[in-house]
Amino acid sequence: MINIGILGTGHMAQKMTHTMQVMRMGGYREFEVSAVASRNMEKAKEFGRRYGISGVYGSYEDMIGDPDIDLVYISTPQSCHYADSCACLRGGKSILCEKPMAVSLKQVMEIFELARKKDLFAAEAMWTRYMPIRQVISDTVWSGKIGMPRFLTASLCYSVAYKERLMDPKLAGGALLEVGVYPLNFSDMVFGGSDLVSAFGLKDHQGLDMQETFTLTHGNGGISVLSSGIISTSARYGSIGCEEGYIRVDNINNPSKVEVYNLNHQLKEIFYAPSQISGLEYEVREAVECIKSRKRETVSMPQEDTIRMMALLDKIRVQLNISYPCE
């Protein structure tokens, strides 16, 4: 039995905990959510009451010190991911950290180095990497049915600038780390490594990026044109142009449908994602199974992928002149 502790009590913590409850009710009982920690004891108690969690802590340090906790799911603000990840690892706890795992490549490298020294599991919870539809997309792209992939477009924009944490530089706000990571990861899952050609963005008066576009080239002959933002809403589609047709993904943030078209724009095939609880269950299951088998990273989001993506994010930030106080 893998005992899981929840660090933070916000939206993602609630969504993840509900998901894990349903997983257990559905018969997957290889883990138990046994603790929750908040900087505010009343919030921790309320969270514990709502989800039936017995271990309630009014400080992160106290939960990290609980000898019965095996894995900590980190859902604190992204500006805190580095410090919280390191604190958990130093305390002997494996970690599944919400995306982005940190705000810079340097921080990510230090997290993984600490995990290696402590011989602990550490993974980034980039949920789209763990979903089974990801393999369907990859198999379809590289099947050769409609030729080689050459051109990819993807956009993810939500009108969420009203959220305080996204408008606070101290919390590493802005569009890039909140939503930009999704089209970038979508492109990476199709083409693999990339070279950044250009990044353009629009900033607010604080220097936070509100929306941006990226153009990438790939060693296998592909080009990606991507966009993200927090002051408008986009259709969320991803399109992969191939030599003899194209593939359309309905939502790069949580794909449910993949359509294959020929040169005449005729729909030839359609694939649907399996029913899911929330889409978070796949990363939970893989993390639990890794820890049970003493693996230190996942297959779906290996540490080298997190490192590659954070290196790309660093290059984008240089072009857009974005900096975070928490670096």
Side-chain angles (χ1 to χ4, degrees):
M1 176 71 73
I2 304 299
N3 289 315
I4 299 177
I6 308 295
L7 204 69
T9 56
H11 171 72
M12 283 307 303
Q14 296 169 37
K15 187 175 182 179
M16 177 62 88
T17 304
H18 170 74
T19 299
M20 291 192 284
Q21 284 184 327
V22 177
M23 289 176 71
R24 284 181 53 81
M25 289 188 290
Y28 186 73
R29 296 179 174 271
E30 301 300 316
F31 69 91
E32 181 176 1
V33 182
S34 55
V36 61
S38 172
R39 295 295 188 194
N40 183 309
M41 178 58 92
E42 288 308 310
K43 288 185 178 180
K45 288 180 178 178
E46 172 57 29
F47 195 99
R49 284 193 295 267
R50 184 187 311 171
Y51 296 105
I53 300 173
S54 57
V56 176
Y57 295 94
S59 79
Y60 297 164
E61 294 78 13
D62 287 347
M63 189 185 80
I64 293 170
D66 184 338
D68 294 327
I69 301 297
D70 304 300
L71 171 67
V72 175
Y73 169 66
I74 299 172
S75 62
T76 52
Q78 53 207 24
S79 56
C80 303
H81 286 180
Y82 167 70
D84 293 339
S85 293
C86 290
C88 289
L89 292 167
R90 292 190 188 102
K93 309 304 181 192
S94 291
I95 58 169
L96 178 63
C97 182
E98 258 309 322
K99 65 82 189 169
M101 196 161 198
V103 302
S104 69
L105 177 60
K106 178 177 182 292
Q107 290 184 349
V108 162
M109 296 296 286
E110 289 179 4
I111 289 171
F112 288 149
E113 178 60 26
L114 182 56
R116 282 191 288 272
K117 287 181 179 178
K118 294 289 187 176
D119 193 25
L120 292 166
F121 170 86
E124 181 181 13
M126 173 56 71
W127 70 329
T128 53
R129 293 267 186 171
Y130 297 86
M131 294 174 180
I133 193 69
R134 170 206 176 161
Q135 192 60 49
V136 173
I137 296 170
S138 181
D139 291 345
T140 304
V141 168
W142 296 104
S143 66
K145 294 179 181 178
I146 54 173
M148 289 290 290
R150 296 300 186 189
F151 185 68
L152 180 150
T153 60
S155 177
L156 191 68
C157 302
Y158 293 111
S159 294
V160 291
Y162 60 87
K163 294 185 178 182
E164 289 187 21
R165 67 179 180 85
L166 296 181
M167 303 304 292
D168 189 342
K170 294 180 181 178
L171 297 180
L176 181 61
L177 299 184
E178 180 69 12
V179 291
V181 293
Y182 289 109
L184 289 165
N185 271 272
F186 179 74
S187 170
D188 189 79
M189 285 187 279
V190 172
F191 282 124
S194 61
D195 293 314
L196 177 66
V197 175
S198 63
F200 299 95
L202 174 67
K203 298 181 184 180
D204 73 353
H205 66 283
Q206 303 177 95
L208 286 172
D209 56 305
M210 297 290 99
Q211 57 187 25
E212 54 254 323
T213 63
F214 323 109
T215 303
L216 312 173
T217 58
H218 308 275
N220 45 22
I223 292 178
S224 295
V225 178
L226 315 171
S227 60
S228 61
I230 57 174
I231 56 174
S232 62
T233 301
S234 67
R236 306 183 299 185
Y237 291 123
S239 178
I240 305 160
C242 301
E243 294 167 326
E244 300 171 26
Y246 59 94
I247 297 164
R248 189 181 188 190
V249 179
D250 69 329
N251 177 6
I252 64 167
N253 192 32
N254 188 5
S256 64
K257 184 172 61 175
V258 179
E259 298 172 328
V260 183
Y261 293 84
N262 64 15
L263 287 173
N264 296 318
H265 305 281
Q266 296 172 320
L267 180 61
K268 305 301 292 183
E269 285 186 290
I270 186 167
F271 303 95
Y272 293 96
S275 59
Q276 61 185 32
I277 301 168
S278 67
L280 299 173
E281 60 266 38
Y282 306 112
E283 63 193 57
V284 174
R285 184 184 289 266
E286 189 165 344
V288 168
E289 294 301 322
C290 281
I291 293 173
K292 284 173 56 185
S293 58
R294 294 193 56 78
K295 295 178 181 177
R296 296 316 183 206
E297 56 185 308
T298 63
V299 172
S300 298
M301 189 65 179
Q303 293 174 6
E304 65 177 334
D305 284 6
T306 295
I307 290 169
R308 183 174 65 254
M309 295 311 298
M310 189 52 69
L312 177 58
L313 290 169
D314 275 8
K315 291 177 182 178
I316 289 171
R317 291 201 297 118
V318 169
Q319 282 205 15
L320 297 181
N321 192 26
I322 300 171
S323 62
Y324 306 118
C326 54
E327 287 186 74

